[in-house]
Amino acid sequence: MVLTRDGARATSNEQLATTMMNALLKVQNLRTYFFSKRSGRFIRAVDDVSFEMRPGETFGLVGESGSGKSVTALSVMGLVRDEPGVLAGRVLYQENGKSVNLLEGLPNYVKLEQRDAEVTRLSKDNTNWLKAHDVKMKPLRGRKFSMIFQNPKSSMNPYFTIGDQIIESVMWGCRKKREEAKKQAVDWLRRVYIDLPERRMQEYSFNLSGGMCQRAMIAMALACRPKLLIADEPTTGLDATIQSVIVDLLLELKRELKVAILLITHNIEVIGRLSDYIGVMYAGRIMESGPSDTVLKGRRTARNHPYTIGLLQSLPGEDQVKRGARLKAIAGDVPDVTDLPVGCKFYPRCALKTPRVDKKCKTQEPPVFKVGKGHTCRCWLYTTK
Amino acid sequence: MVKPILKIKNLSKHFALGRGLGGLSLGGEKLLKAVDGVSFEIARGEVLGLVGESGCGKTTTGKMIVRLLGPTAGQALFEGQDVQRIPRRGLSEFRGAVQMIFQDLDAALNPKMKVRDILAEAVRLGERHTKQSLAKRLRELFSMVNLKPSKLENYPTSLSGGEKRRVSLARVLARKPRLIIADEPLSALDLSIQAQVANLLKDLQKEYGLSFLLISHDLRMVELLSHRIAVMYLGRIVETASAAEIVRRPGHPYTSALWTSTVARKKGAKVVGQLRGDVFELERPDEGCVFRSRCAVYQKKGKPKQCRVGADPELRQVRKGHSVACHFPLGKGK
Amino acid sequence: MRHTFTQRKLDAAAPHPWKRLRRMDRAFIVYGLVVAVLVVGCYLCSLVGWLPYQLDGMDLNHMNEAPSLGHPFGTDNMGRDILTRIIAGTQAFFLPGLLAIVIALVGGSLAGVLGGYYGGFTDKLTSYLLNVIDSIPKFVLLLLVIAIFKPDIYFIMIIVGATNIPTVASFIKGKILFLKGRDFIEAAAALGLSDLRIIFKHILYHHCLPLLIIQATLGMGEAILIEASLSYLGFGVQEPMASWGNLVAAGNNYVLQGVFYYAAFPALVIMLAILGFYLLGDGLNNLFEEEERG
Ligand SMILES: Nc1ncnc2c1ncn2[C@@H]1O[C@H](COP(=O)(O)OP(=O)(O)O)[C@@H](O)[C@H]1O
Ligand SMILES: Nc1ncnc2c1ncn2[C@@H]1O[C@H](COP(=O)(O)OP(=O)(O)O)[C@@H](O)[C@H]1O
Ligand code: SF4
Ligand SMILES: [Mg+2]
Ligand SMILES: [Mg+2]
């Protein structure tokens, strides 16, 4: 059975069962919008996003700020609270051979009115949806799914000690008694290379450095051996040196615990070192997704997306070391999510569109094309015809 | 020998870490040596990159150069004159000649003023203008930073990050500076925009022969944009060399670790010479080399005595134009 | 609860902050503005003498008369028209109130700038002084002043203004510290702008003006409140000058005789006026916040 990574196409239930065979999490056609009161327009934060994760595998979501990475993660966790929020799609989670759609029943709460594939009007009963959804998600959060955030300092409670917070999460996550949880917490702090763990347990987050806080967060998130760890910009804002310490730690823990990691970052180096598969996000879409070495080739011949290619070429990489060289920047500005172009969302900045495809790019959004083994691209250049 | 445009001599800034109680500081204050005896020079038309982890004192150094902070000790000489000693009369000329770009994208942009007014305010500080000539000057500034003139009528809140950075650059250029202190000019920008702005900085520098102190924690960007690089660690310069030299033959173990941790991109790649811990979780030693607790060489050499006692190592020349503050500089015999 | 969202056309202009305001806030602002205009109007009218009746025109044939077409709010125990006295009553607090506002705003801005902008020793000194002011209960201070000096409304309002300095100062200082934290002030200084220009144009004008306006409206509300309460107690404006507090106090004597409107109308006016200024301040606050957002 060949696995297709664009689960979007799977339609019948039968097909679903087979494609789910060894997947842990499968996100299909996820769509999450917000509404900008100011401009009176939808913020299309996540639009038609599909990806798949297998146990123990790391899927890296890379993209510039505002491309919808965090919202994707929060949607999976059921933590999008603002209206209208999650509108469509499926989040399939499989454990012990049983697969459930975590977004089941969503269509009952949402009504969409569309014109030319663009939503013009929608209504949603968000309060009741969240209530229903929480019932399903609560037992999973902190037990099966856990999450770490950028800026660990602000995601830790400054009024409780680090120790209390880890113990708390262990007690909830592994259903442990306090004494046991405490022992486990100390073990975990040692495991993430925090010196003098007993002493550090007594400290407050504001007394720790950013790098140490992040390691404590990682300990807290992994202590109960979740199936899925969502790491949202775990190294952003930390210095390069500390960043690489955190990456090393995640690499080690991933190998040991066989936890699947949804890694979100805009840092290509971090993504490159950690991920098995990569999805490149732009304007709320996954433009390209595939095995990480394929995606990071960044070449037209490797059938990479023009955005990926531009991004990789704009970095001052190893081969760029020639002094005095200019960087190959992507032209244009980051997209405005309330006002996206009709066709390909990358069209205004794309340097690779050819006259052959130009018209199509401008007027039609490219679908997900399969361009290689487990490698997909949303680009008309790779139309299979 | 041409006279340098900026010469820093033993510049230090110590902050008092008062255990404040109701606004009153009780005795026994600890000192935070944010900048501790830093010396370097910038030649006319040269770009000096200043790199180091956050909190190592880069911004503080920059602020002392533009006279936003007074040093605890030492001097910053701009064109031969101590910036702290510039008399009131000369101050406005100095403020024009040395400009600073701030890390915060919004720092220079009053959200209640149109871009046009923000720039006009800066232009008028140094030049007299009629309505027409002012409009012309603003368009000229805008084209220098590759912005569409229509953006002049915008308020800063409606600009993207890249546009904001360009406007703050235009504001700085409006004063016709000779030296620009650029504090992390790229770090707040989106990935695809960083390259654009980096190119812009490079072009402007070349075209107008500007001198730059380019502050950043991104060694790779600095390497690309600077002629020379100074590496800073906990308030001290630990290495200076030409940009090409510093990445090809780093002398200080810290520089080496900084570089390797920046460029590793391969899947599962392990970083060699990994630094242990981070700056703040380890006690800053009173004696010996401040870097030793994280130093791979120190560990490998079996904690030699030189590193443990005496003062912090001084910057010493290891090659022409390459100085390192380390007892065991890398690449200098085993 | 089902909510519906409709996407607007792309070229449609963004709605004015006023449009984005809650309906309640809009009503508050409109009501507050009406009150403000009425108060100012009454003050000006009474200043030039445009009054329905003569202010002290006693009419012994019409004492304690119920509201009628001729006297919409009735007459008092000396047959004076109550509406006339209410209109003229604005004189009792308007100018003194303005004085209090000016003192609070100017003093507060000065103290805020000294504390926030210059910092260091000046900061310690100003915050010490402000704490001293803040720690004295306002009413005790007022009564003390009245006891020592004569009960003069201007004197009282100077005290009211002074006691409001700490509030304004802390707002301004907070704003400055926020701006400082974002390198905003340093960026202006590094450009070469003078301190005065930074303080007046960039800080006070561009960032604190909304705040000062709100404080001014609240200040007027408070001036009315203080004047009315002190006059009611007999410490404020003295008869025969018209004042809202006096009217209520005088009217109180007749409530038991069933002449409720004598006290009720002035009291109602006091309440509606104070409410108006407070709601205006609140509404403006939300409006400015909405503006800030977009
Ligand atoms: N709660 C929210 N309300 C409104 N807009 C939001 C909200 N959260 C995110 N957005 C918008 O959605 C888009 C995607 O955001 P996000 O997923 O956070 O991007 P990133 O890729 O940087 O993580 C952005 O334009 C952001 O402004
Ligand atoms: N005004 C100040 N008062 C006290 N400490 C300060 C002040 N400004 C900076 N510091 C401290 O000085 C050190 C150096 O800061 P900074 O120059 O901003 O570092 P960098 O720019 O390299 O990140 C930091 O530890 C910082 O906390
Ligand atoms: S679809 Fe067209 S515009 Fe979009 S990335 Fe591909 S070539 Fe470029
Ligand atoms: Mg994010
Ligand atoms: Mg800094």
Side-chain angles (χ1 to χ4, degrees):
Chain A
M1 172 84 220
V2 183
L3 287 174
T4 55
R5 289 196 65 80
D6 57 331
R9 309 288 125 199
T11 41
S12 76
N13 268 339
E14 200 175 299
Q15 218 172 331
L16 174 85
T18 43
T19 49
M20 266 314 271
M21 211 150 64
N22 43 25
L24 172 76
L25 185 84
K26 198 157 172 157
V27 174
Q28 297 181 330
N29 309 79
L30 181 71
R31 186 181 271 191
T32 306
Y33 283 11
F34 299 106
F35 190 72
S36 158
K37 244 180 157 180
R38 187 163 75 85
S39 63
R41 296 187 60 80
F42 292 123
I43 297 168
R44 302 196 256 159
V46 172
D47 222 340
D48 199 14
V49 157
S50 310
F51 62 92
E52 178 186 312
M53 300 181 61
R54 277 174 287 272
E57 205 177 80
T58 301
F59 184 75
L61 262 185
V62 62
E64 295 171 274
S65 68
S67 58
K69 307 181 298 293
S70 298
V71 175
T72 305
L74 294 174
S75 304
V76 170
M77 288 289 274
L79 290 175
V80 174
R81 299 274 141 185
D82 287 326
E83 289 187 302
V86 183
L87 298 178
R90 294 201 285 186
V91 176
L92 302 165
Y93 170 65
Q94 170 173 286
E95 205 187 354
N96 308 330
K98 267 207 316 240
S99 98
V100 279
N101 177 9
L102 299 177
L103 292 182
E104 201 169 341
L106 177 61
N108 303 335
Y109 297 88
V110 182
K111 217 165 74 201
L112 297 177
E113 274 173 41
Q114 281 175 315
R115 194 181 338 113
D116 311 330
E118 188 178 348
V119 177
T120 51
R121 186 184 158 90
L122 67 88
S123 63
K124 184 178 179 196
D125 182 354
N126 201 39
T127 332
N128 284 323
W129 159 247
L130 286 178
K131 249 186 234 156
H133 192 42
D134 269 345
V135 172
K136 205 171 289 163
M137 293 307 295
K138 270 237 172 82
L140 291 175
R141 281 188 220 130
R143 292 195 179 127
K144 304 293 179 203
F145 300 176
S146 57
M147 194 159 175
I148 55 178
F149 299 89
Q150 180 183 356
N151 203 346
K153 285 208 172 173
S154 59
S155 27
M156 285 219 167
N157 191 331
Y159 294 104
F160 294 98
T161 60
I162 300 288
D164 276 343
Q165 288 178 66
I166 301 182
I167 293 171
E168 191 84 354
S169 79
V170 172
M171 281 165 64
W172 156 256
C174 327
R175 299 184 173 87
K176 285 267 166 65
K177 292 254 161 52
R178 195 170 179 91
E179 279 311 300
E180 253 179 292
K182 188 168 176 190
K183 255 183 38 212
Q184 203 168 334
V186 173
D187 280 351
W188 266 96
L189 282 182
R190 194 169 290 127
R191 218 159 156 181
V192 296
Y193 302 106
I194 288 182
D195 294 332
L196 308 170
E198 283 92 355
R199 210 179 86 191
R200 296 296 182 200
M201 296 270 286
Q202 316 292 328
E203 291 200 51
Y204 293 89
S205 56
F206 49 81
N207 286 329
L208 301 185
S209 68
M212 197 168 349
C213 245
Q214 191 59 283
R215 278 181 275 158
M217 279 285 284
I218 291 173
M220 195 152 113
L222 292 180
C224 298
R225 298 177 171 265
K227 297 279 182 234
L228 172 69
L229 172 71
I230 298 184
D232 190 358
E233 310 264 8
T235 63
T236 308
L238 303 176
D239 282 302
T241 48
I242 300 155
Q243 205 158 296
S244 76
V245 173
I246 301 280
V247 172
D248 280 354
L249 178 67
L250 284 174
L251 269 173
E252 190 184 316
L253 292 174
K254 160 188 158 183
R255 235 168 261 145
E256 250 178 67
L257 305 176
K258 304 258 178 307
V259 56
I261 304 179
L262 176 57
L263 175 74
I264 294 176
T265 174
H266 62 254
N267 187 316
I268 305 265
E269 286 77 48
V270 172
I271 279 278
R273 283 181 57 200
L274 266 168
S275 318
D276 304 304
Y277 286 87
I278 292 179
V280 182
M281 269 194 105
Y282 186 83
R285 273 143 243 263
I286 293 189
M287 288 303 202
E288 174 174 6
S289 116
S292 72
D293 358 337
T294 317
V295 173
L296 289 184
K297 279 203 180 104
R299 282 199 313 268
R300 174 76 172 78
T301 45
R303 317 200 103 203
N304 287 126
H305 193 278
Y307 175 60
T308 318
I309 297 173
L311 211 52
L312 288 167
Q313 284 183 345
S314 76
L315 294 177
E318 291 122 296
D319 32 352
Q320 192 75 43
V321 185
K322 228 186 287 148
R323 311 258 57 260
R326 283 171 60 97
L327 292 169
K328 289 191 202 119
I330 303 179
D333 218 327
V334 285
D336 172 1
V337 277
T338 61
D339 179 15
L340 293 173
V342 193
C344 172
K345 305 305 169 226
F346 188 58
Y347 176 80
R349 304 175 75 187
C350 181
L352 295 184
K353 57 191 176 233
T354 57
R356 179 177 68 92
V357 292
D358 188 90
K359 198 160 160 246
K360 240 180 180 168
C361 300
K362 193 169 179 178
T363 53
Q364 278 178 56
E365 166 126 44
V368 178
F369 291 114
K370 192 162 185 300
V371 294
K373 192 155 177 258
H375 183 194
T376 64
C377 228
R378 269 180 185 268
C379 172
W380 284 117
L381 287 176
Y382 307 120
T383 165
T384 37
K385 239 195 338 194
Chain B
M1 184 78 197
V2 216
K3 275 224 297 233
I5 190 165
L6 181 78
K7 191 177 167 89
I8 305 283
K9 283 202 279 194
N10 262 322
L11 204 61
S12 298
K13 179 77 190 176
H14 300 176
F15 292 109
L17 282 183
R19 283 255 155 162
L21 202 73
L24 299 169
S25 47
L26 304 175
E29 283 181 351
K30 268 177 87 174
L31 277 186
L32 174 77
K33 296 182 178 176
V35 178
D36 195 17
V38 161
S39 306
F40 58 77
E41 286 180 12
I42 300 179
R44 220 166 269 281
E46 188 187 36
V47 181
L48 176 71
L50 187 61
V51 282
E53 290 165 293
S54 68
C56 72
K58 308 181 295 294
T59 303
T60 307
T61 307
K63 284 184 179 170
M64 284 193 281
I65 295 170
V66 296
R67 201 178 146 165
L68 286 171
L69 283 176
T72 312
Q75 289 176 315
L77 305 170
F78 175 67
E79 294 179 339
Q81 193 176 20
D82 184 348
V83 299
Q84 291 298 326
R85 297 260 173 83
I86 294 172
R88 271 192 101 76
R89 275 177 293 110
L91 196 56
S92 80
E93 204 276 331
F94 167 75
R95 289 273 188 230
V98 184
Q99 279 289 310
M100 181 151 179
I101 302 173
F102 288 81
Q103 178 168 13
D104 185 343
L105 283 178
D106 295 313
L109 309 175
N110 192 330
K112 303 284 169 62
M113 284 165 84
K114 277 187 180 172
V115 170
R116 166 188 296 287
D117 299 324
I118 291 171
L119 289 186
E121 184 182 60
V123 169
R124 286 218 184 88
L125 277 173
E127 303 161 26
R128 295 192 160 275
H129 276 290
T130 61
K131 231 176 171 174
Q132 286 83 12
S133 69
L134 179 70
K136 190 164 150 263
R137 178 90 170 100
L138 295 187
R139 277 200 305 276
E140 188 184 298
L141 282 170
F142 251 44
S143 74
M144 276 165 86
V145 296
N146 302 336
L147 272 176
K148 276 201 236 83
S150 63
K151 298 276 178 202
L152 274 172
E153 306 307 326
N154 281 38
Y155 284 94
T157 39
S158 64
L159 298 179
S160 70
E163 286 165 350
K164 281 181 185 168
R165 182 47 90 217
R166 284 165 201 269
V167 172
S168 58
L169 207 57
R171 187 171 105 133
V172 158
L173 292 171
R175 305 263 3 229
K176 299 191 177 143
R178 298 193 284 275
L179 171 67
I180 297 180
I181 315 292
D183 189 4
E184 310 260 10
L186 304 174
S187 69
L189 298 175
D190 274 312
L191 214 52
S192 70
I193 306 301
Q194 284 193 2
Q196 289 178 6
V197 175
N199 285 340
L200 176 64
L201 285 174
K202 187 153 208 138
D203 295 345
L204 287 171
Q205 193 273 328
K206 270 201 195 132
E207 192 165 339
Y208 300 97
L210 297 169
S211 314
F212 265 92
L213 176 66
L214 184 70
I215 296 173
S216 174
H217 62 262
D218 185 350
L219 187 51
R220 261 182 346 188
M221 267 303 178
V222 168
E223 194 267 334
L224 197 81
L225 294 174
S226 325
H227 302 111
R228 255 177 345 113
I229 292 180
V231 181
M232 209 168 169
Y233 185 77
L234 281 183
R236 298 181 63 94
I237 304 274
V238 294
E239 178 162 10
T240 59
S242 73
E245 171 100 0
I246 224 162
V247 294
R248 220 179 40 232
R249 283 193 288 188
H252 199 282
Y254 176 64
T255 314
S256 158
L258 206 57
W259 178 249
T260 47
S261 64
T262 317
V263 294
R265 191 193 291 175
K266 294 276 146 26
K267 188 170 150 191
K270 265 275 182 190
V271 173
V272 282
Q274 181 73 270
L275 286 182
R276 205 171 68 85
D278 42 284
V279 195
F280 312 97
E281 70 191 70
L282 304 159
E283 297 285 310
R284 187 198 159 109
D286 296 327
E287 251 196 322
C289 175
V290 284
F291 180 62
R292 70 166 185 271
S293 46
R294 299 171 77 192
C295 181
V297 175
Y298 175 70
Q299 296 293 340
K300 212 167 70 192
K301 295 224 182 245
K303 310 193 175 182
K305 193 162 170 227
Q306 280 127 298
C307 304
R308 273 183 288 129
V309 296
D312 214 28
E314 293 289 322
L315 267 182
R316 271 189 306 252
Q317 186 150 331
V318 292
R319 250 168 251 117
K320 191 172 175 311
H322 189 167
S323 308
V324 181
C326 174
H327 295 298
F328 303 99
L330 303 169
K332 218 198 164 201
K334 286 280 129 108
Chain C
M1 262 251 284
R2 212 172 178 95
H3 286 164
T4 303
F5 305 86
T6 312
Q7 173 142 313
R8 203 144 30 83
K9 283 235 176 57
L10 255 180
D11 42 13
H16 192 269
W18 175 253
K19 288 261 171 63
R20 280 182 275 139
L21 213 53
R22 281 189 320 163
R23 194 172 294 172
M24 193 85 115
D25 282 326
R26 276 187 262 177
F28 286 169
I29 292 179
V30 169
Y31 170 66
L33 283 177
V34 169
V35 167
V37 166
L38 278 177
V39 166
V40 175
C42 288
Y43 173 71
L44 293 177
C45 283
S46 73
L47 208 62
V48 297
W50 286 358
L51 295 168
Y53 292 84
Q54 240 187 319
L55 182 57
D56 296 314
M58 289 186 244
D59 186 348
L60 300 180
N61 297 326
H62 300 276
M63 289 193 311
N64 286 344
E65 217 166 63
S68 64
L69 270 184
H71 301 283
F73 288 4
T75 60
D76 70 1
N77 57 331
M78 287 187 259
R80 296 178 294 194
D81 180 44
I82 290 180
L83 178 62
T84 305
R85 292 195 74 77
I86 286 178
I87 294 174
T90 51
Q91 285 202 27
F93 64 79
F94 192 76
L95 268 195
L98 280 188
L99 179 68
I101 290 171
V102 168
I103 289 174
L105 295 192
V106 173
S109 303
L110 193 69
V113 167
L114 282 178
Y117 190 82
Y118 291 105
F121 179 70
T122 35
D123 182 24
K124 277 186 188 156
L125 190 70
T126 44
S127 45
Y128 181 75
L129 288 178
L130 294 180
N131 280 341
V132 168
I133 295 180
D134 231 6
S135 61
I136 305 171
K138 192 180 284 185
F139 258 85
V140 173
L141 194 65
L142 283 177
L143 293 178
L144 207 68
V145 166
I146 291 163
I148 297 172
F149 305 97
K150 63 182 184 349
D152 181 82
I153 187 69
Y154 281 95
F155 236 87
I156 291 169
M157 285 301 166
I158 288 173
I159 300 299
V160 171
T163 52
N164 281 339
I165 286 178
T167 320
V168 178
S170 73
F171 275 129
I172 302 254
K173 185 176 161 186
K175 195 87 194 178
I176 293 177
L177 290 183
F178 169 75
L179 294 174
K180 257 192 177 170
R182 307 200 41 197
D183 287 344
F184 181 86
I185 291 172
E186 290 190 321
L191 189 70
L193 296 176
S194 67
D195 276 9
L196 282 183
R197 190 178 168 87
I198 296 174
I199 291 171
F200 279 105
K201 178 119 192 272
H202 286 258
I203 298 176
L204 291 181
Y205 179 68
H206 279 304
H207 279 102
C208 301
L209 195 61
L211 214 140
L212 294 177
I213 290 174
I214 291 164
Q215 285 301 318
T217 48
L218 297 181
M220 189 48 87
E222 189 182 13
I224 298 175
L225 180 70
I226 300 250
E227 186 275 323
S229 8
L230 286 180
S231 299
Y232 179 82
L233 296 173
F235 297 132
V237 173
Q238 304 296 316
E239 281 280 358
M241 252 195 82
S243 114
W244 294 357
N246 284 348
L247 283 172
V248 180
N252 254 358
N253 299 330
Y254 298 90
V255 170
L256 289 180
Q257 296 169 25
V259 188
F260 73 94
Y261 43 83
Y262 185 175
F265 279 118
L268 201 66
V269 166
I270 291 172
M271 196 190 80
L272 291 179
I274 294 174
L275 202 64
F277 281 108
Y278 281 4
L279 290 181
L280 180 61
D282 214 39
L284 285 179
N285 189 23
N286 291 337
L287 180 66
F288 291 139
E289 258 173 26
E290 199 63 54
E291 222 163 42
E292 197 97 317
R293 221 173 285 159

